[in-house]
Amino acid sequence: PRSALLPLVRALATVIYLLLPYRRDVALANIRKALPDLSPARHKAILRGAYKHFLVAMAEFIRIPQVKTARLGRLVQLDHDLLDDLVARQQGAILVTGHFGNWEMINLTLGRLGYPLVGVAVKQKGAGGRYIEWVREQTGARFIDRKASTREMLRLIKSGHFLGLVNDQDALKHGVRIAFFGQPSSRFKGAAMFALQTGAPVIFGACLMGPRNRYKITFEPVSTDNLPDEGDHAIQELTQPNNQQPEPANKEPPE
């Protein structure tokens, strides 16, 4: 039962944190860099919390095939007004999230409730990869390979689908240069390019766990007002987190 499973995996995460220090120092250094004003004790607390969160997310993912649609409301509170308005107008959209909170629960909730979500995902390999893809199929959402053609993704948006992108990974030299936690970074251009080419809205979604281990999924439109006329600058501004200033667009992204 979930009520017993979550405390168990949180305890297991503490054991892993203490006994298996693989890349723990790297993670702690990144937390210090991102949040320099916090104390060392707070940095370590955040890292311990990250271990717990990740194992909970893994456990919830494995449970997806067991979740009954009729009981989904007990697990998730969905902020659905914006999505319902898009569906009523048959308006496609670009749904953007990151590896933050529990993004797989967005797939489960929107898929089971019949929203036209098509997630873009990396093709998984091996037996483990096949299992991951099978679990995602149980959400009711549709998925396409990240290497699918741009034309196909544009067609989906124009036909009223919500194209789901997890857009926070390092794009290296192929991306657009932004500031992330005050650090120079490179992000994929796809979400901004699709929005500019189709006129479809960009919607940021997040799924966070609240009281009593219940998730809340919220959606917020990303403003496209007053974007620069020049394409590269418009893509950069649309990709850049709202609370930080972007790096100059003509600089080379980091390797």
Side-chain angles (χ1 to χ4, degrees), residues 170-174 177 184-186 252-255:
D170 190 356
L172 300 175
K173 63 182 180 181
H174 303 292
R177 189 178 177 87
S185 183
S186 176
E252 289 295 321
E255 293 295 333

Side-chain angles (χ1 to χ4, degrees), residues 5 51 54 57 117 138 143 154 156 160 166 187 192 200 212 238:
L5 177 65
Y51 274 70
F54 187 69
L117 175 64
Q138 309 311 303
F143 291 88
L154 291 171
L156 289 166
V166 182
R187 289 294 176 268
R212 299 182 180 179
L238 194 51

Side-chain angles (χ1 to χ4, degrees), residues 172-193:
L172 300 175
K173 63 182 180 181
H174 303 292
V176 58
R177 189 178 177 87
I178 66 166
F180 184 68
F181 281 97
Q183 305 298 319
S185 183
S186 176
R187 289 294 176 268
F188 289 103
K189 303 177 182 180
M193 290 177 60

Side-chain angles (χ1 to χ4, degrees), residues 4 9 28 40 55 66 108 111 148-149 167-169 173 193 228 247 254:
V9 297
L28 190 58
L55 260 70
Q66 304 173 27
L108 172 64
S149 69
N167 205 43
D168 62 342
Q169 292 173 307
K173 63 182 180 181
M193 290 177 60
E247 298 285 331

